[in-house]
Amino acid sequence: GDPSKGYPMVLGDANVHLLMAGQSGAGKSAAINQMLLSLLCKYSPNELMLVMIDFKNVEFSTFTKPDPKSTGKLSIIPHARIMAGTKDGEYALSIFDFLIAEMERRQKVFGAVNQKKLEDYNNLMTEQGHPEKRLPRILLLIDEFQVMFTEVDRAIVDKIQDRIRSLAKLARAFGCHM
């Protein structure tokens, strides 16, 4: 199509995961930020949960403010459940473990009502008069991913890669995109 007309940013069960690669300074982070802003405008926090990891701790700073109670930062995005700027592999691994646990939890929830996809589950909850049980899509954003391979212990990297493979195979149907 004509790129001047723009493309809709829609998260759905048919979407695949996205990987952007390129040399330093090519605009990958800027593109991620633009896509993120588009999604924030389109979806409410009840519809979209963000899990953001920045292995250089610089790119997502636009979306934070200083925490007056600590030396850390707070997200200014109501959609952000987790926003981590870290080179700590153990901490990053804990985020992936959270996502795997959430995927498994959703698998049980969907199975209990005989549903296979997030969209179908959410439609059923609305039809049954339980809109409060609707689940948001989860979008995992990782920036500066390559830093993990140079700054994190190899054993932790292997565990993170295993989690990513599991998420890539199963998570999309349960509303988790990377």
Side-chain angles (χ1 to χ4, degrees):
D2 181 355
S4 68
K5 294 179 183 173
Y7 298 98
M9 291 295 302
V10 179
L11 292 175
D13 295 329
N15 293 111
V16 294
H17 305 293
L18 172 70
L19 171 67
M20 291 182 12
Q23 65 189 40
S24 294
K28 298 176 301 294
S29 296
I32 288 172
N33 286 338
Q34 290 301 311
M35 286 187 269
L36 178 58
L37 289 172
S38 178
L39 291 168
L40 293 175
C41 289
K42 184 173 180 78
Y43 296 101
S44 74
N46 292 335
E47 298 171 301
L48 177 63
M49 175 199 307
L50 296 174
V51 175
M52 303 165 71
I53 305 171
D54 178 2
F55 281 102
K56 269 194 183 173
N57 197 20
V58 294
E59 291 303 332
F60 296 140
S61 61
T62 305
F63 305 108
T64 64
K65 65 180 181 181
D67 181 357
K69 297 178 184 176
S70 72
T71 59
K73 294 185 177 185
L74 297 171
S75 170
I76 59 173
I77 304 172
H79 302 71
R81 171 87 180 265
I82 300 172
M83 184 180 285
T86 186
K87 291 180 185 175
D88 181 344
E90 291 281 350
Y91 182 66
L93 180 61
S94 74
I95 295 169
F96 285 98
D97 286 341
F98 160 78
L99 291 168
I100 294 290
E102 178 61 13
M103 179 186 69
E104 291 170 349
R105 183 188 76 80
R106 287 179 176 210
Q107 190 172 20
K108 290 176 185 171
V109 168
F110 290 10
V113 293
N114 200 29
Q115 297 299 314
K116 294 180 181 179
K117 300 187 299 185
L118 178 68
E119 187 176 343
D120 295 339
Y121 171 82
N122 282 344
N123 288 338
L124 179 65
M125 292 301 105
T126 300
E127 289 169 11
Q128 291 182 347
H130 300 291
E132 75 282 359
K133 291 185 178 181
R134 291 175 55 92
L135 297 170
R137 289 204 175 273
I138 301 170
L139 178 59
L140 169 62
L141 295 169
I142 305 171
D143 202 3
E144 302 298 344
F145 186 65
Q146 82 286 353
V147 171
M148 180 181 73
F149 295 97
T150 59
E151 303 286 332
V152 176
D153 178 75
R154 185 70 215 170
I156 300 295
V157 171
D158 290 344
K159 290 178 183 179
I160 290 173
Q161 287 178 312
D162 286 343
R163 293 347 180 249
I164 289 172
R165 277 190 285 277
S166 292
L167 290 168
K169 290 177 184 175
L170 301 171
R172 193 171 35 125
F174 303 110
C176 184
H177 305 270
M178 296 186 286

